[in-house]
Amino acid sequence: MRPDRLGALLSAAGAAALFTLPFVVFKANRIVPGTPHALSDLLPAWAAFSCYALLLAVAVVALCVANPRLRLLAALAGVAVVALAVAAAGNALTPPDNKVVRVAPGAAWWILMVCLGLLGTDAITRLRPGPGRRVLLLAVALGVALLALAHGTFDHLSIMREYAVNATRFAHEGARHVALAAGSLGAALVAGLPLGILCYRVPRLRAAVLGMLNLIQTIPGIALFGMLMAPLGALAAAVPLAAQLGIRGIGAAPAVVALFLYSLLPIVANTVAGLRRVPRVTVDAAQGMGMTSAEVLTRIELPLALPVILTGVRIALVQNIGLVTVAALIGGGGLGTFVFQGIGQTAIDLVLLGAIPIVVLAFSAAVVLDALVEVMQRAPA
Amino acid sequence: MITIENLTKRYGATTVVDSVSMQIPRNSLTVIVGTSGSGKSTLLRMVNRLVEPSSGRVLLDGSDTRAQPAHLLRRRIGYAIQGHGLFPHRTVAENIATVPRLLGWDAARIAARVTELLEAFALDPASFAGQFPHQLSGGQQQRVGVARALAAGPQLLLMDEPFGALDPIIRAKAQDDLLDIRRRFGTTIVLVTHDMDEAFRLGDHVAVMSGGRMLQYGPPAQLLTRPADPMVSRMTGLADRAMRLLSLSTAGEAALPGTVDGPQVPASATLRDVLSELMWRGVDAACVTDADGTARGHLTVAAILARGRP
């Protein structure tokens, strides 16, 4: 039989990384350059050997086994082994009660994780699970990861060291990140749905509004934040009530306004597209049977447009979760705070403490909303 | 029952329907036939005010259709269209229940009505009620569309090219079903089509439209024997007008007294079918029998041919 092409590529990349690049990097403290270590230097011979053997088995499955269930299982086993190995390396390199040394995953570790992740997602794609299963799979994966983190498995790794120092702030900024992304999306829904319906009903308005929103979408995030600072600052100075409500040139106000503006395009455009997709003849029948235009809208047009509108919500939410990161620069808060603080201190672990949860949040939002869109489409057109 | 007075629709400088007047009697099946762009659909849509007339008026049982809000008027009038227009996100039962729900019927009454209609259209309620439109065949979708239009028991049913999307065999079946339904529910039907054969097959009154004007309105035989306009004879077809005329009468209507030796033909057969049967068998006369087999009279080739002349 022919070896699997993707499996061959991933196995080769993983093996090359494992044997040529450092598995972990050891630093005497947070700032100094580190020394690289291979997996075999760190673990007892039997443990290192077991790791290599298991990864070899995963590579064999990736190369020769076509069954996607087995491939997924192999990928998950590989992820578990590589994760546990780096945890063990952290424990081995950290002297007792020492909170100054930093053990960070090295290039080999990241490349292995990426290869195993690709192997896993490829297997999931081949399995074609239904929307419910995909969400369940995500929930189980997140659950296992959180359990391991709560259990302290990775406490000696550098990122968790940064977390331990920043735990309270992390919870606060994480919640703020979600609140900013979801809040601005909610506001965009409240304004965007009626605006989309209006644009659908009034074609002349459609071109103007969508053109305007398209223009806003092309403004880079940081530039839009900057552009909003002046008018919001002026508003706060002129209207004391606005200032009392927390509207200022910097902080959450310009962030929410900018995210709201960015979210409008996907929501308005998809509302219009969804409504246009409703067959003319269906609307004609609904009117002909005596529905008022409000009844046609709520009972026929909106339900039929819902999957497309939800796709717009998905785009807006995932985009917002990413954009909130930049809001940290103007004092908006969110997980971006850690990213920019880490860049300022050249502390890459602090950057990752902000960046990894953002990626996980965006990915989870995409999976859940995609599943929702698919469920809605089951009521077929 | 329906009185249309000088009904006109203009879009800008274009007149789509030009001062049409007609009386449509109760319990009739009136077919409005015309080429595309003749204004026939616009005329139909002005009856339930999906299109508001530029001038003129429509009276239903003597009262002006503008006397009540358009949506309330439409709930009293059945409406079935080409491509059925079923709601894809609703089940067959929910589709049929649309107008009764709008009228606020209670659930038990709606359920009973849905079951009654599904049975009338030969759709087993147990298996079809819960299905979605995309799970049905084209013919079944069309039947559900008509059942939905009849759900609240309207006095009047408007149909806009209802069989346009069906293939010929299913279309013939759907046309037969419509004649059955009409007998069963006693509904007044106004149907729009571009198909002259369909018009002759279904209509007891046919209105011919062209360029927004009504050229002629009367029983189908009249269109053949006394066309009001050269355009009418062109549309009804000159070459086979004799055969068309024969297809409008049944053997029972034309039967001569007395019986003869010869093949038996049912009283419900058209003269065209009887003539074809006689040609095929190479005989001159046939015996006309009722459904129960009793002889009603007879027909000769000469008598049939005489009926094919104006």
Side-chain angles (χ1 to χ4, degrees), chain A residues 281 284 287 290 295 299 380, chain B residues 45 74-75 79 81 88-89 134:
Chain A
V281 56
D284 188 48
Q287 286 171 338
E295 284 164 342
R299 300 188 189 186
Chain B
R45 292 163 69 87
R74 290 182 203 136
R75 290 174 192 180
Y79 185 58
I81 50 181
H89 59 307
H134 75 108

Side-chain angles (χ1 to χ4, degrees), chain A residues 138-212:
Chain A
L138 175 75
V140 169
L142 288 180
V144 169
L146 283 178
L147 269 181
L149 289 174
H151 177 255
T153 313
F154 302 105
D155 277 359
H156 288 299
L157 290 183
S158 51
I159 298 173
M160 291 311 287
R161 277 285 161 79
E162 294 291 351
Y163 171 74
V165 178
N166 293 297
T168 341
R169 270 182 64 219
F170 182 84
H172 177 247
E173 299 295 359
R176 194 177 173 85
H177 198 102
V178 173
L180 282 173
S184 51
L185 174 72
L189 265 176
V190 170
L193 267 180
L195 189 59
I197 293 165
L198 197 67
C199 285
Y200 170 69
R201 293 271 163 102
V202 189
R204 277 199 308 187
L205 198 64
R206 190 186 305 165
V209 169
L210 289 181
M212 178 81 164

Side-chain angles (χ1 to χ4, degrees), chain B residues 43-89:
Chain B
L43 177 62
L44 187 80
R45 292 163 69 87
M46 282 194 281
V47 173
N48 68 358
R49 291 176 59 198
L50 279 173
V51 173
E52 292 288 353
S54 304
S55 64
R57 59 178 192 161
V58 179
L59 306 176
L60 278 189
D61 288 333
S63 66
D64 195 315
T65 51
R66 280 168 302 186
Q68 60 179 324
H71 66 276
L72 295 181
L73 170 76
R74 290 182 203 136
R75 290 174 192 180
R76 291 169 46 209
I77 301 176
Y79 185 58
I81 50 181
Q82 177 169 17
H84 61 74
L86 294 180
F87 304 140
H89 59 307

Side-chain angles (χ1 to χ4, degrees), chain B residues 240-259:
Chain B
D240 64 345
R241 55 186 167 179
M243 299 311 281
R244 257 199 214 285
L245 199 52
L246 289 183
S247 68
L248 291 172
S249 311
T250 63
E253 290 162 9
L256 306 167
T259 57

Side-chain angles (χ1 to χ4, degrees), chain B residues 191-245:
Chain B
L191 184 148
V192 158
T193 182
H194 65 272
D195 179 351
M196 195 55 83
D197 289 327
E198 186 166 275
F200 274 84
R201 188 177 145 96
L202 295 175
D204 41 36
H205 291 74
V206 175
V208 181
M209 284 194 74
S210 178
R213 292 165 42 79
M214 179 151 295
L215 301 180
Q216 189 166 5
Y217 170 50
Q222 193 189 75
L223 267 55
L224 293 165
T225 56
R226 282 179 283 137
D229 188 291
M231 186 69 188
V232 174
S233 3
R234 216 174 314 146
M235 285 173 67
T236 52
L238 289 171
D240 64 345
R241 55 186 167 179
M243 299 311 281
R244 257 199 214 285
L245 199 52

